[in-house]
Amino acid sequence: MNLRQLRYVVATADHGTMTSAAQALYVAQPALSRAVRELERELGVELFARSGRGVVLTPEGEQVVRHARVALSAVEAIEGMSAAGAGGRGADLRIATTLSLEPELTGRLIPRFARAQPAVRVRVVRCPGAAQ
């Protein structure tokens, strides 16, 4: 069991479909479905009853989602402590790029992102061996 799986289960419960949950989390729907199935297999219970175009939590799924919300809330609080302990510094974002994409990133996209997210430190790393 991992935090990613718990986030996927909670999002699926909140959105009612795996497709909507995947879109909200910016992940591919097959990856979300696979992660949920792996968690179900690991726990030995079915978390969702799949019906038609949507999903409904099973009684076991309701319990898992309730506990997952508490766990994810605790993780969020811990992450908040980490940012506060670093002098209020936000997250670091490292972007790997090719030489051909770097001008667009550094010239237009990253400055716009930096204005919108001033607490995030952005670092662009050119991929070694990338096509020049």
Side-chain angles (χ1 to χ4, degrees), residues 1-10 34-36 38-39 42:
M1 177 182 331
N2 59 53
L3 293 174
R4 178 181 52 87
Q5 290 171 316
L6 295 180
R7 285 185 181 104
Y8 288 5
V9 167
V10 169
R34 186 172 42 256
V36 170
E38 288 171 4
L39 181 59
E42 182 179 336

Side-chain angles (χ1 to χ4, degrees), residues 66-85:
R66 187 172 47 254
H67 291 301
R69 288 186 197 282
V70 172
L72 293 171
S73 178
V75 167
E76 216 174 274
I78 292 167
E79 289 172 343
M81 289 172 51
S82 173

Side-chain angles (χ1 to χ4, degrees), residues 32-48:
L32 182 136
S33 295
R34 186 172 42 256
V36 170
R37 277 193 313 272
E38 288 171 4
L39 181 59
E40 287 176 323
R41 195 172 15 255
E42 182 179 336
L43 297 175
V45 296
E46 189 174 321
L47 301 175
F48 295 99

Side-chain angles (χ1 to χ4, degrees), residues 65-107:
V65 167
R66 187 172 47 254
H67 291 301
R69 288 186 197 282
V70 172
L72 293 171
S73 178
V75 167
E76 216 174 274
I78 292 167
E79 289 172 343
M81 289 172 51
S82 173
R89 190 184 90 222
D92 290 332
L93 173 63
R94 217 176 268 178
I95 302 174
T97 186
T98 62
L99 182 62
S100 61
L101 289 176
E102 190 173 356
E104 177 71 10
L105 283 171
T106 59

